[in-house]
Amino acid sequence: MTLLALETSCDETSAAVVRDGVVLANVVSSQIQLHAEYGGVVPELAAREHLKNLLPVTRAALREAGVDAASLDAVAATQGPGLAIALLVGFKAAQAVAFALEKPFIGINHHEAHLYSPWIQAQTAAAAPPLRLAADFQQFQPNVSLIVSGGHTLLVLVESELHHRVLGGTIDKLMSLAYPAGPIIDRLAARGNPAAYDFPRPLLHDANDDFSFSGLKTSVRYFIRDHPSVLADPQALRDLCASIQAAIVEVLVKKTIRAAKREGVRCVTASGGVTCNRKLRQELERACQQQGFELRLAEKNLCTDNAAMIGILAERKLLAHAPLPSLAEEVQPGWALT
Ligand code: ZN
């Protein structure tokens, strides 16, 4: 079975071709440069950029995969959640291709697809295709999956294939210091002292699996207001970044491990853009090793948004004969995973 998948929920335009669990191509065009000067993603600009890039990105994916559009068996796209006018571009294009080819169309929940990205792995053998769905991924179910990006944090119990339950989460923005803040904090924090400043660990001691970083953000804002000199002193700035990062990572790791223990799983996974953060990867590795959990982290190029995970999940849904949406379906910008 050969599928084309499109992803345009936020600021990456991506197309992938997937066949029998193998990612034949995964082309991603990032818009980070475009939005950086505005300090965040501007929906109208994102949609316009998706419109401009979608066709070249899709053509490139088909070419790289060596697949002719006429030989596709199904077409998938992200249906939500995401920016409405950004989602529309990829979703409507995918519906049009499916309609023209008279093939099934599959609308995918972006967060559900993230649950699959830690299992899309690079192959070591030179002759093997670069990425494929791990053959044994079902052996590691149930597992607890942390999805964390600039826009959302979710903790999900993956019970079995296509069956999952959201344990907790938040949709408040993790950081809005600058766009994109994550890689900047990661770089500065690497040479800073994480114990230099003491920031709150929000909800760490609450019994629920929810996250909220707005209180932390407020305390960082007040700290900078009261100590403006830290921004001018390179080492103080590195210490500040390391201290903020330490607070965020501690909350994410401790709450994930606590949920995994409570749910009695033996495996923890993590994906989403923030999972590129080196400190978060290290601390998850350390904690899982200590507690005896198997850990699967999404590969760095699959942490951020990509169509490979959309295609992989779409293929699993087709194989499981999950009900498919009609071509009359619309995007669901607020589609929360349950
Ligand atoms: Zn995402």
Side-chain angles (χ1 to χ4, degrees):
M1 183 165 22
T2 310
L3 289 94
L4 171 68
L6 304 180
E7 150 69 39
T8 62
S9 64
C10 190
D11 56 350
E12 327 271 4
T13 314
S14 180
V17 179
V18 168
R19 178 187 289 154
D20 304 330
V22 175
V23 180
L24 297 176
N26 178 46
V27 179
V28 182
S29 168
S30 173
Q31 305 178 3
I32 281 179
Q33 290 302 331
L34 177 73
H35 301 288
E37 65 174 297
Y38 301 97
V41 178
V42 184
E44 288 79 4
L45 288 183
R48 235 182 283 165
E49 198 69 4
H50 285 314
L51 208 50
K52 198 170 79 189
N53 292 337
L54 191 64
L55 214 51
V57 163
T58 305
R59 283 206 183 103
L62 288 168
R63 198 183 318 118
E64 197 183 312
V67 166
D68 190 52
S71 66
L72 292 170
D73 298 302
V75 187
T78 308
Q79 188 167 6
L83 303 169
I85 62 169
L87 284 165
L88 266 173
V89 179
F91 189 78
K92 288 294 161 192
Q95 281 183 326
V97 175
F99 177 74
L101 298 174
E102 297 183 50
K103 296 294 179 190
F105 170 75
I106 308 123
I108 292 294
N109 180 295
H110 180 88
H111 291 153
E112 189 179 3
H114 267 301
L115 298 175
Y116 278 77
S117 53
W119 303 100
I120 304 174
Q121 297 170 340
Q123 303 302 294
T124 42
L131 294 168
R132 67 167 305 142
L133 181 63
D136 60 350
F137 78 98
Q138 281 168 301
Q139 288 175 27
F140 296 94
Q141 291 167 343
N143 60 63
V144 163
S145 192
L146 173 69
I147 303 172
V148 52
S149 76
H152 48 77
T153 307
L154 278 179
L155 208 47
V156 184
L157 174 65
V158 179
E159 292 162 315
S160 60
E161 169 104 280
L162 306 178
H163 290 96
H164 41 73
R165 182 160 53 86
V166 172
L167 300 171
T170 173
I171 52 159
D172 69 357
K173 294 232 180 288
L174 194 52
M175 275 292 133
S176 56
L177 299 180
Y179 169 89
I184 300 169
I185 291 183
D186 190 341
R187 199 181 61 238
L188 291 172
R191 293 195 289 141
N193 172 12
Y197 309 110
D198 192 22
F199 288 112
R201 270 67 171 157
L203 304 188
L204 181 58
H205 301 293
D206 288 38
N208 58 43
D209 293 324
D210 289 329
F211 300 91
S212 173
F213 296 101
S214 52
L216 172 62
K217 237 162 66 177
T218 305
S219 67
V220 170
R221 189 171 296 134
Y222 286 147
F223 178 84
I224 292 171
R225 183 197 64 190
D226 298 340
H227 308 83
S229 61
V230 294
L231 298 180
D233 173 354
Q235 189 52 45
L237 184 61
R238 288 194 282 267
D239 291 345
L240 176 66
C241 286
S243 302
I244 296 168
Q245 183 178 266
I248 295 169
V249 166
E250 186 180 339
V251 173
L252 292 174
V253 172
K254 285 196 171 158
K255 294 201 85 161
T256 302
I257 296 292
R258 195 173 68 192
K261 279 186 185 168
R262 191 194 59 230
E263 299 296 333
V265 302
R266 65 184 180 101
C267 176
V268 168
T269 78
S271 68
V274 175
T275 317
C276 288
N277 181 276
R278 289 170 292 176
K279 184 75 177 163
L280 178 59
R281 294 178 88 86
Q282 282 166 12
E283 291 301 315
L284 277 172
E285 271 161 15
R286 207 177 50 82
C288 284
Q289 205 166 22
Q290 227 169 44
Q291 306 286 338
F293 290 116
E294 181 81 26
L295 173 68
R296 295 299 166 99
L297 294 169
E299 306 218 358
K300 285 200 172 181
N301 60 336
L302 293 176
C303 285
T304 44
D305 295 342
N306 63 84
M309 65 183 190
I310 306 296
I312 288 287
L313 172 57
E315 189 175 42
R316 300 309 297 178
K317 286 197 179 258
L318 280 177
L319 291 170
H321 306 290
L324 300 180
S326 84
L327 282 178
E329 285 238 9
E330 295 297 340
V331 296
Q332 294 185 44
W335 187 5
L337 201 63
T338 49

